Amino acid sequence: MMPRGLLAGVLATLTLPSAAQPLYVKDLGPVSGLYGLPSQRAAEVLPRGQLAMQAHAAISSHYIDESRAGERLHLDGETNRLAAVLRYGLVEGWEVQLELPWLRHSEGFLDSTIDGWHDFWGMSDGGRGDVPRDLLIYGYQGGDSFLLQDDSSGLGDSTLSLGRQLYDATNFSLLLSAGYKFGSGDEEEFLGSGGDDFYLALQAAGAIANSAKLDWYGQAGYLRAGQSDVIADIQERNLWFAGLGLEWRLSPGWSLLGQVDAHAAPADSALTGLGDDSVMLSGGVRWRPAQAWALDFSVVEDIRVETAPDVTFQFGLSYRPDL
């Protein structure tokens, strides 16, 4: 039987309000980034008629040079992504969300900074320090083949999703969302997959400490990917995704966030960079200059090495009237 003191502590944590807002994290790998894998989001819908807006900017650096079992993958370059996210409360308990991204693949400028970081800490750089800096080569040979060596930029694949509040109380929130990613981006330029994706996800959030300062949040879901000509012969079309994070409110204006995001491998391949499930770790800080506004800065690392970009730097600006 549970001791009374412990039971009282558990009940106390279940009566705390949760207002956790996840970090906006995307896998911007040249191949994984083509899929419509959703970032984590708040587990509460907006009230009817309310509009919320978010703007995000990310810079990712890639380097993989891998050969195995008749396959060869070489990814060297940088991805910039800008995204606008609009949310609107339709009726009580329902919300619609539209995401519009813009992408650029280029030689970039982060190579020297990342090489210096690896040298300072004595870390392995996976061979990136042995090749010329600031190149753009996305190449694969094996079951399929692709090659991108020229800069590309343009609109990516947009996503429309519908959210339904399943449960919402002061202690816990649960949301079911369904999303559809339109294959509108140019797949030859690695701006889109060329196919339409569909996903279902459960998002949840709650309080885990005996104060209003520490919240948890997470998601889990399934994505059915449309056929993509980029890796048509080795493409995996049934993908899982999941994530979990914490927000620690240091003060009314500042928070620290830690987050893990993972998803299934995008391809049936013997190569780590295509055939292994991805795991990313993010750390970020959030500043609220006013009640409705929040500014985020975060860094994302591939803790399962070579399954995601080497490093991603992210910035986000959010406006939500009830933040």
Side-chain angles (χ1 to χ4, degrees):
M1 185 173 181
M2 183 180 293
R4 291 185 178 180
L6 178 59
L7 178 60
V10 171
L11 293 177
T13 64
L14 294 179
T15 60
L16 298 174
S18 172
Q21 300 293 316
L23 291 170
Y24 179 95
V25 174
K26 291 281 190 181
D27 183 343
L28 298 186
V31 176
S32 296
L34 301 177
Y35 288 85
L37 296 163
S39 60
Q40 296 195 58
R41 52 149 296 165
E44 304 88 15
V45 300
L46 294 169
R48 178 179 179 180
Q50 192 173 97
L51 177 68
M53 297 173 286
Q54 297 170 291
H56 301 275
I59 304 173
S60 287
S61 180
H62 319 287
Y63 185 80
I64 297 175
D65 188 21
E66 187 182 6
S67 298
R68 188 178 297 118
E71 296 180 275
R72 171 74 187 276
L73 178 67
H74 187 89
L75 302 177
D76 188 356
E78 193 169 293
T79 299
N80 305 105
R81 187 178 189 269
L82 301 174
V85 180
L86 303 175
R87 297 169 53 198
Y88 182 75
L90 292 174
V91 294
E92 183 177 356
W94 292 88
E95 178 188 286
V96 65
Q97 175 177 291
L98 175 65
E99 181 174 358
L100 301 170
W102 178 89
L103 293 95
R104 180 173 185 258
H105 299 289
S106 67
E107 298 88 349
F109 61 89
L110 290 176
D111 282 354
S112 59
T113 301
I114 296 172
D115 288 346
W117 177 262
H118 288 152
D119 291 342
F120 179 80
W121 293 105
M123 300 165 60
S124 172
D125 62 6
R128 68 184 297 154
D130 300 328
V131 300
R133 293 172 174 172
D134 302 329
L135 296 177
L136 174 61
I137 304 174
Y138 296 164
Y140 170 74
Q141 290 181 326
D144 290 285
S145 64
F146 61 72
L147 180 63
L148 180 71
Q149 291 181 290
D150 298 322
D151 290 10
S152 65
S153 62
L155 293 176
D157 292 345
S158 59
T159 301
L160 184 66
S161 63
L162 184 66
R164 169 60 176 167
Q165 195 78 65
L166 299 181
Y167 185 80
D168 188 21
T170 56
N171 60 330
F172 179 73
S173 296
L174 184 64
L175 177 77
L176 174 66
S177 59
Y180 192 88
K181 190 216 71 173
F182 300 90
S184 51
D186 188 335
E187 59 184 316
E188 294 184 359
E189 300 291 322
F190 280 77
L191 303 176
S193 68
D196 297 350
D197 300 348
F198 172 79
Y199 72 79
L200 284 172
L202 278 174
Q203 284 94 13
I208 63 171
N210 194 21
S211 70
K213 293 184 177 181
L214 190 60
D215 296 324
W216 68 271
Y217 54 84
Q219 76 167 1
Y222 162 80
L223 180 136
R224 173 64 177 177
Q227 187 68 51
S228 173
D229 290 338
V230 176
I231 52 170
D233 292 340
I234 60 171
Q235 179 187 4
E236 294 283 7
R237 299 187 62 188
N238 298 297
L239 281 73
W240 60 264
F241 56 88
L244 187 65
L246 295 172
E247 179 178 0
W248 179 23
R249 296 175 178 266
L250 301 176
S251 70
W254 292 92
S255 292
L256 294 178
L257 297 99
Q259 184 169 311
V260 175
D261 292 275
H263 63 77
D268 181 11
S269 168
L271 301 176
T272 300
L274 290 176
D276 283 11
D277 299 340
S278 174
V279 184
M280 300 173 288
L281 176 66
S282 308
V285 60
R286 174 170 295 151
W287 176 46
R288 298 178 183 84
Q291 183 176 358
W293 293 89
L295 182 65
D296 294 349
F297 170 72
S298 58
V299 179
V300 186
E301 285 279 352
D302 57 333
I303 56 173
R304 192 168 191 183
V305 179
E306 295 189 345
T307 64
D310 286 349
V311 63
T312 301
F313 299 100
Q314 300 196 139
F315 304 87
L317 177 65
S318 304
Y319 170 79
R320 196 184 80 176
D322 63 340
L323 190 64

